Amino acid sequence: HTRPGAPTVTLTAPAPTRTGLGHPVVIGIDPSLTGTGIASSNGWCEVIGYKRARAKDPGITQLPHPERLAAMRHLVDTVFYSIGAPQLVVMELPAVSRAGGGAHERGWFWWQLYSHIHNRQIPIGLLTPNARALYATGKGNAPKNLVVDSIARRFPNWATEGNDNAADAVTLMAAGRDWLGAPITDLPKTHRAALDKATWPTLPGAHA
């Protein structure tokens, strides 16, 4: 289904809208310019981000504006083409209080991803960073290592390889499946409380 000129990505091929078991296909996306985590309920996860192409490459947020725009557009396309045609995408909302450079670029990237997915009429669920951590660990302020460990233990079929971006994406995907009434595994009520803190789309037959 790759369009001419589409970026090439190394991923398990996206599955049909439903798996052989009739379960809904959900994609979790943790947007980042340097390491966007993507996870599918079909059992794969990947991290896609900008890689410095040369020794003096200043990084995507410091490139000259024409190069920066081209790099960000390419990244949006790469992520978008990788997700296939799921029934639901769950994205992490931006951490608006986050300090540091690149806020302008990160905001553009998030909204471009959202726009591409929305325009394709794929329903989108949204979780804050705290809600995502809550679903993974039962604690909204859990550090990254705790999220990684919890996801590795509860969702061992997803090879996150200790990458926190991949673990976050698996969390978002799992929350979406749970909300659709088809949880991958049973979680305590303390974890599932995160579902009530999320923003969910209007979707026939979906429920918390």
Side-chain angles (χ1 to χ4, degrees):
H1 63 277
T2 303
R3 302 175 188 174
T8 301
V9 294
T10 304
L11 283 171
T12 303
T17 303
R18 286 182 179 270
T19 66
L21 298 176
H23 291 153
V25 175
V26 178
I27 294 287
I29 303 178
D30 177 27
S32 167
L33 292 168
T34 55
T36 292
I38 307 171
S40 168
S41 57
N42 283 336
W44 58 262
C45 57
E46 182 64 286
V47 177
I48 297 173
Y50 178 79
K51 305 299 181 185
R52 299 192 182 205
R54 56 188 185 275
K56 294 184 178 180
D57 187 332
I60 191 169
T61 62
Q62 298 299 318
L63 290 171
H65 282 74
E67 293 180 37
R68 193 181 315 177
L69 180 59
M72 291 193 299
R73 281 177 171 168
H74 177 77
L75 187 55
V76 168
D77 289 344
T78 302
V79 173
F80 180 67
Y81 282 114
S82 76
I83 68 173
Q87 286 179 273
L88 177 68
V89 169
V90 184
M91 292 176 63
E92 181 168 311
L93 284 162
V96 293
S97 61
R98 181 177 172 182
H104 189 55
E105 290 81 4
R106 292 196 305 270
W108 181 93
F109 177 63
W110 192 95
W111 277 108
Q112 285 294 311
L113 275 182
Y114 183 94
S115 176
H116 277 58
I117 296 166
H118 174 75
N119 289 343
R120 195 170 169 181
Q121 298 184 326
I122 298 173
I124 304 171
L126 302 170
L127 269 71
T128 64
N130 283 353
R132 183 260 307 151
L134 179 63
Y135 189 81
T137 69
K139 298 179 180 179
N141 61 349
K144 291 181 180 295
N145 65 309
L146 187 58
V147 172
V148 170
D149 291 346
S150 180
I151 293 304
R153 177 165 48 86
R154 295 182 182 276
F155 302 93
N157 292 335
W158 280 262
T160 62
E161 299 181 352
N163 185 288
D164 61 274
N165 298 301
D168 288 349
V170 173
T171 304
L172 296 164
M173 173 277 298
R177 273 285 296 265
D178 198 345
W179 178 72
L180 285 170
I184 294 169
T185 190
D186 291 330
L187 290 177
K189 290 182 179 179
T190 51
H191 294 59
R192 297 190 73 248
L195 300 179
D196 294 329
K197 300 178 182 296
T199 300
W200 298 108
T202 300
L203 192 66
H207 58 277

